[in-house]
Amino acid sequence: ISAAPGAKTLDLEGLYVTPGLIDLHVHVYVHGHAGSLFPDSTALVTGTTTVVDCGSSGWRTFEDFKAKIIDRSKTRVLAFLNIVGWGMTKGAEAENNIEDMDPKAAAAKIKQYSGLLVGVKTAHFAQPGYVAIKRAVEAGRLSGKPVIVDDRIYTNSGRTTQEKLLTELRPGDLHSHTYNDRQLELLDRFSGKVQPYMWEARKRGVLFDLGHGAGSFLWPVASRAMEQGFPPDTISSDLHAESILGPQSDMSNCIS
């Protein structure tokens, strides 16, 4: 096919041509423990034209996030709203403050900015029990949006992966950091097989997000899971200041 007069042609032999990539899990608004990255400096240069900030802001801080980042970025920026009102801006103590987890306030903010806020995030909750997940799910129910979870399943957490995926999360909700081995027990540690309840959760519609990050991806887990036919439902980078300097987990790298 001959090019039209004046058209620019490129020799792309041996390369992939794709629409702009969508990164479902990034941090582009200030949050204390890892550091945010301005999207135009890190997303566009790797072919990512849409990013979804994953819980850096809450209902108290989203207006500031919108003014400082979303409204100034050439990259299209959407967001999961943290169930914590302050989001990730005040560190671990704030993220464990149950009193600041307000489903009605979060849902109201999501409805106010329904074109920008795509769901609810709960992360890093270190207290026992399911209150953070329950309140995030309630905000999701009130707003009609999905929930994405970055949870800590430790021996003292009073939570189990099986119960969380089969009882607490709904079809269409997402769990991030699928291929690590500390927050989501994807593989049986003795047999190396994908846990039966993981297949059951996937069958009932729970989605699994890559969420590479700086310490949330292990090759032994990912390789064994892929060999058994358990790929991620969504690929995302969890790109922040620590991960870009270490594993450099931008979208093209994560996809490859």
Side-chain angles (χ1 to χ4, degrees):
I1 300 174
S2 60
K8 182 178 181 179
T9 61
L10 298 172
D11 182 3
L12 301 178
E13 183 177 358
L15 302 177
Y16 291 103
V17 178
T18 175
L21 302 173
I22 300 171
D23 193 341
L24 186 73
H25 184 160
V26 301
H27 292 284
V28 295
Y29 178 58
V30 174
H31 65 291
H33 74 280
S36 62
L37 298 168
F38 190 66
D40 293 350
S41 301
T42 55
L44 290 180
V45 294
T46 62
T48 301
T49 54
T50 298
V51 298
V52 185
D53 183 273
C54 205
S56 300
S57 68
W59 60 269
R60 296 182 189 275
T61 55
F62 180 74
E63 301 282 353
D64 184 63
F65 174 31
K66 181 178 181 296
K68 290 181 178 177
I69 304 297
I70 295 176
D71 293 346
R72 299 182 181 185
S73 175
K74 293 180 181 178
T75 310
R76 182 184 184 216
V77 181
L78 307 174
F80 285 98
L81 192 72
N82 203 308
I83 190 59
V84 177
W86 288 105
M88 298 181 183
T89 61
K90 291 183 176 293
E93 183 176 351
E95 289 182 284
N96 287 307
N97 183 3
I98 294 171
E99 299 304 316
D100 200 31
M101 300 177 185
D102 188 333
K104 291 182 179 179
K109 186 62 66 175
I110 290 171
K111 290 180 178 179
Q112 182 182 353
Y113 292 103
S114 60
L116 295 175
L117 292 169
V118 300
V120 185
K121 172 75 178 291
T122 177
H124 313 142
F125 185 63
Q127 301 300 315
Y130 289 96
V131 63
I133 293 177
K134 287 182 181 295
R135 294 195 182 184
V137 169
E138 176 64 8
R141 185 189 68 80
L142 292 171
S143 62
K145 299 287 188 178
V147 171
I148 187 167
V149 177
D150 168 1
D151 193 25
R152 293 177 174 176
I153 303 294
Y154 297 148
T155 55
N156 63 349
S157 69
R159 297 184 290 275
T160 67
T161 301
Q162 180 173 355
E163 185 177 19
K164 176 186 61 184
L165 295 177
L166 299 183
T167 304
E168 300 298 332
L169 297 186
R170 309 162 298 168
D173 289 339
L174 303 98
H175 199 297
S176 196
H177 309 316
T178 294
Y179 300 120
N180 68 18
D181 196 32
R182 69 180 187 275
Q183 298 174 13
L184 181 62
E185 192 179 351
L186 175 60
L187 301 180
D188 182 286
R189 298 189 183 190
F190 297 98
S191 69
K193 300 294 185 182
V194 174
Q195 298 276 16
Y197 55 76
M198 306 305 297
W199 297 108
E200 188 176 349
R202 169 159 281 177
K203 186 176 181 180
R204 68 183 291 263
V206 174
L207 302 175
F208 294 90
D209 175 53
L210 181 67
H212 190 296
S216 298
F217 179 90
L218 293 176
W219 279 109
V221 177
S223 298
R224 289 175 180 175
M226 292 292 285
E227 288 170 359
Q228 295 171 59
F230 202 96
D233 294 291
T234 56
I235 297 175
S236 69
S237 68
D238 185 19
L239 198 63
H240 51 70
E242 291 179 359
S243 61
I244 199 171
L245 293 175
Q248 299 179 5
S249 54
D250 57 59
M251 272 297 284
S252 55
N253 193 10
C254 287
I255 291 170
S256 68

